[in-house]
Amino acid sequence: MHLVLHSCHNQILKPPPKQPEPLDPAKENARALQMKLLTAFEFQDHDAHISAHMAFMASRMVQINPQVYALLQSHISDHISFKAKAQVKQMIMENPEMAQMAQQDPQQFEIMFEAEVAKVAAQITSELVQTENANQNKEDPLIKIKQQEIDLRAMDLQRKAEETKFRADQENSRAAQRLEFDYDRLAQQDSQSDERLEVAREKIESKKK
């Protein structure tokens, strides 16, 4: 009974898991480079966050890092979802028929609401993609070629670093195997020496008799 109470007491005192806190876009960009999850909140300025993240995604450090790029893209999608819902809610407030539907037929209203959110989200996403493509087309072709060369060099350096690490790991593994083999061989020699000593001891004892 005492153990049960002690267990319950520990559960009560255990602190709740830490909840994500809203961050400014710059801090979120920094967290993205560390491959940490980002959380969007309904009350944030979604346009400001989306603009800041898209500007950061245009940088070379993100362009050559697909994982960071994908993490930021996913986070932007969360902001787009919140922004789309806010726009649809505003549209409903300005339309008495929709407001009436929300009270009379909540299930049908929910279906309609989600459909409208999907449409608005698709529209926002399309506009962002068009803006991104337009900005990419404005780039100087020579600068773009130079950036591609830099990217290739960076990826080649990363590949060489990974190969060096792989060879070092392989060498460490072989060294560990050699040490294990030497240890087994010495252990076997010690065992054989013990056996020879035992035989010699038995011979000496037999001669004494």
Side-chain angles (χ1 to χ4, degrees), residues 28-41:
E28 288 180 333
N29 289 339
R31 285 177 63 87
L33 290 176
Q34 300 170 4
M35 291 304 300
K36 294 182 179 179
L37 293 178
L38 307 176
T39 303
F41 294 85

Side-chain angles (χ1 to χ4, degrees), residues 150-163:
I150 294 172
D151 291 348
L152 289 173
R153 273 198 218 106
M155 287 187 288
D156 187 54
L157 288 173
Q158 185 177 3
R159 177 184 60 80
K160 289 179 179 178
E162 290 175 353
E163 289 178 354

Side-chain angles (χ1 to χ4, degrees), residues 66-119:
Q67 291 180 323
V68 175
Y69 191 95
L71 180 62
L72 287 167
Q73 187 65 61
S74 174
H75 182 61
I76 286 176
S77 296
D78 290 337
H79 279 292
I80 291 174
S81 176
F82 279 127
K83 181 179 177 180
K85 288 180 179 178
Q87 289 187 8
V88 173
K89 287 179 181 178
Q90 183 64 32
M91 180 178 66
I92 291 171
M93 289 176 62
E94 296 173 356
N95 189 327
E97 293 182 1
M98 290 185 178
Q100 187 177 4
M101 180 189 293
Q103 296 180 351
Q104 294 179 349
D105 193 347
Q107 187 174 1
Q108 186 62 32
F109 172 79
E110 186 68 23
I111 295 173
M112 181 275 299
F113 179 80
E114 292 299 331
E116 290 298 325
V117 169
K119 290 178 185 178

Side-chain angles (χ1 to χ4, degrees), residues 164-178:
T164 301
K165 183 178 181 300
F166 176 77
R167 285 196 295 269
D169 291 342
Q170 290 290 100
E171 185 60 32
N172 290 336
S173 178
R174 285 193 290 267
Q177 290 175 355
R178 285 196 296 270

Side-chain angles (χ1 to χ4, degrees), residues 37-55:
L37 293 178
L38 307 176
T39 303
F41 294 85
E42 185 176 2
F43 56 82
Q44 289 176 318
D45 186 338
H46 305 297
D47 287 332
H49 276 257
I50 291 171
S51 297
H53 296 318
M54 289 191 67

Side-chain angles (χ1 to χ4, degrees), residues 184-194 196:
D184 291 341
R185 181 166 54 82
L186 290 172
Q188 187 176 6
Q189 290 176 354
D190 289 342
S191 177
Q192 292 173 351
S193 297
D194 292 342
R196 286 195 293 269

